[in-house]
Amino acid sequence: MSRLSWILSCAVFCVLACDRRADVERSPMTPERAEPAPRWGLVIHGGAGTIDPSNLSPEQEREYRTTLDAALSAGYAVLESGAPAMDAVEAAIVVMEDSPLFNAGKGAVFTHDGHNELDASVMDGYTQQAGAVAGVRTVKNPIRAARAVMTDSEHVLLASGGADAFARSRGLEQVDPSYFGTPMRREQLQRALERDAVVLDHGGSDKFGTVGAVAVDQQGHLAAGTSTGGMTNKRWGRVGDSPIIGAGTYADDASCAVSATGHGEFFIREAAAHSVCARMEFGGASLEDAAHAVVFDQLGAIGGEGGIIAIDARGMMAAPFNTPGMYRGYRFSDGSDGVWIWAQDHPREAAAHE
Ligand code: ASP
């Protein structure tokens, strides 16, 4: 290569590199990626809980599988176009929020007072930026509101009416609060009120549904997001782990991206999502070992039920859960693909589950 073309190549490289860096605030902790991810793709969940095959009719099971597949397709198409992981996370979660099957967006569980109060969060592993909303009642897609908090405010977490007002001010679609409820969720509240119990949206076919997604894009950057209605019969403005960065959601290109589902109070106490990343970054654990240790050792030790999905910059993934089932699926650029519901569905996870 002549001296002139060498200088020109360097100049082009610098312009491209500066351009990529100019629009994001990057953490000094975030490593530069020397090369693209060996494989890219996404992992999703639709909630973990006490589900067994007898609780789901074949028709219901088909609907869950179809919707999980549609969420994967939406996210994968975004990644295939070369867009960032965060776009894929949002696209996949919107599909699940718009489905009444899951406890997020349409189909969210009811509070003690008969409202739907929704929580959501996102984190970008490349920029280390994050956004979240808690207790929103009118923004149709809370995950979009969480992303707007990240990209369009100087804050990380907005709550209740203020968060809805912010979403409105950013032009996000609003709905009448009655949009979110379904007859099935109302029955669940009725049953919980009769038992006077705060019920995790877990346990039986009627107790599932927080949704989440983690993705690695073609550049090897990570993102995570989680969206939920929380727990049936929750009161006093209760907020779970889903909108808490580090508990229900976390992403860092240096380690992994994580979305959690389960009994939120336990996930908050264990800083569950961040713990997976910390075990990798500071303890040198593999993604799979880190994820399993958080679910089975940390959460298991204090009685926290649920599961997580996690992905790293090389496209490795883990989806451990300590409940009998977790709606989940993945799709990667090497052709691996699928959706699962029960532990016995998936031999590697089933082994880890025992
Ligand atoms: N983690 C959610 C919460 O505690 C519930 C769930 O994942 O189903 O609000």
Side-chain angles (χ1 to χ4, degrees), residues 15-335:
V15 168
L16 290 175
C18 291
D19 188 49
R20 181 68 177 99
R21 291 175 64 110
D23 56 354
V24 291
E25 274 173 37
R26 296 180 66 257
S27 152
M29 299 291 287
T30 307
E32 289 290 354
R33 285 198 60 77
E35 56 198 44
R39 71 170 192 171
W40 44 267
L42 76 161
V43 188
I44 60 171
H45 72 76
T50 311
I51 187 165
D52 80 65
S54 63
N55 286 335
L56 269 191
S57 70
E59 178 55 30
Q60 284 173 314
E61 182 180 337
R62 238 188 329 274
E63 282 179 38
Y64 275 105
R65 289 186 185 277
T66 303
T67 311
L68 289 169
D69 196 65
L72 284 173
S73 297
Y76 193 82
V78 167
L79 293 173
E80 205 167 27
S81 76
M86 181 53 67
D87 290 352
V89 163
E90 180 181 330
I93 289 179
V94 163
V95 171
M96 294 186 281
E97 284 183 338
D98 289 348
S99 162
L101 295 175
F102 300 98
N103 171 23
K106 175 86 182 160
V109 299
F110 281 100
T111 66
H112 182 78
D113 300 323
H115 301 296
N116 302 107
E117 294 179 351
L118 311 161
D119 303 333
S121 64
V122 294
M123 185 158 182
D124 184 322
Y126 181 46
T127 63
Q128 295 268 278
Q129 290 178 314
V133 292
V136 290
R137 290 186 181 185
T138 61
V139 61
K140 180 173 178 242
N141 291 108
I143 201 71
R144 292 201 205 281
R147 188 166 180 188
V149 172
M150 176 176 83
T151 56
D152 209 11
S153 87
E154 64 219 31
H155 307 296
V156 169
L157 172 58
L158 300 180
S160 310
D164 275 318
F166 169 78
R168 216 168 19 253
S169 76
R170 294 306 184 268
L172 294 180
E173 187 175 352
Q174 302 290 306
V175 289
D176 186 88
S178 62
Y179 160 81
F180 296 107
T182 62
M184 190 258 284
R185 296 299 187 197
R186 216 167 252 297
E187 274 167 39
Q188 286 172 7
L189 173 62
Q190 212 41 52
R191 283 202 297 274
L193 287 171
E194 281 155 20
R195 291 203 311 272
D196 194 31
V198 177
V199 189
L200 236 198
D201 195 44
H202 298 161
S205 63
D206 62 341
K207 297 180 178 175
F208 261 83
T210 289
V211 305
V214 293
V216 55
D217 62 31
Q218 294 190 32
Q219 280 68 46
H221 298 304
L222 304 178
T226 310
S227 180
T228 190
M231 294 164 80
T232 301
N233 202 20
K234 65 184 182 181
R235 315 169 76 160
W236 303 303
R238 180 266 184 188
V239 173
D241 60 314
S242 306
I244 307 297
I245 298 300
T249 300
Y250 199 76
D252 183 349
D253 277 9
S255 48
C256 64
V258 180
S259 170
T261 171
H263 197 148
E265 280 70 7
F266 294 87
F267 283 71
I268 293 171
R269 286 162 57 195
E270 289 299 319
H274 182 262
S275 285
V276 180
C277 299
R279 281 175 179 273
M280 291 177 70
E281 187 170 0
F282 307 124
S286 69
L287 179 81
E288 190 167 9
D289 286 351
H292 283 244
V294 168
V295 170
F296 297 104
D297 301 343
Q298 285 181 236
L299 290 163
I302 60 170
E305 290 184 329
I308 59 172
I309 52 172
I311 200 167
D312 72 12
R314 292 179 306 134
M316 303 304 288
M317 61 153 286
F321 49 97
N322 62 20
T323 51
M326 178 164 84
Y327 293 110
R328 61 206 187 278
Y330 58 72
R331 187 167 299 168
F332 284 96
S333 55
D334 63 2

